[in-house]
């Protein structure tokens, strides 16, 4: 059930945070653009590779973090992206 909720395009951040508690829904929730950016960044180091990869592909991942993933160059990260 949580996987289907996490797939919904209008799922809200609080609902997606609840979905992260379900192992089968975690990768789906990690990819959802409504997930808060700081949570997405935390999920990059998730022990489940599928979750980490989904977080890395999340369009709401802050640009500075994207740059670091691609180039290895650190740019300042702020909550605003």
């Amino acid at each position: 059930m949580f996987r289907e909720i996490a797939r919904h395009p209008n799922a809200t951040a609080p609902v997606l945070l609840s979905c992260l508690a379900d192992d089968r829904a975690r990768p789906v929730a990690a990819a959802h653009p409504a997930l808060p950016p700081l949570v997405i960044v935390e999920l990059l180091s998730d022990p489940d590779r599928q979750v980490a990869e989904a977080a890395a592909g999340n369009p709401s991942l802050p640009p500075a973090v994207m740059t670091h993933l691609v180039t290895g160059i650190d740019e300042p990260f702020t909550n605003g992206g």
Side-chain angles (χ1 to χ4, degrees):
M1 179 171 98
F2 281 109
R3 248 188 332 183
E4 296 307 315
I5 293 169
R7 281 191 182 107
H8 196 282
N10 295 325
T12 63
V15 171
L16 292 167
L17 292 172
S18 296
C19 291
L20 290 173
D22 182 271
D23 288 339
R24 293 176 59 197
R26 267 178 93 72
V28 180
H32 199 291
L35 201 61
L38 292 176
V39 175
I40 299 167
V41 172
E42 290 174 8
L43 291 173
L44 293 173
S45 60
D46 195 274
D48 183 332
R49 184 176 175 173
Q50 286 184 320
V51 173
E53 288 177 355
N58 189 314
S60 294
L61 185 67
V65 179
M66 286 183 202
T67 299
H68 176 72
L69 288 175
V70 173
T71 66
I73 298 171
D74 286 324
E75 290 187 10
F77 168 67
T78 61
N79 197 14

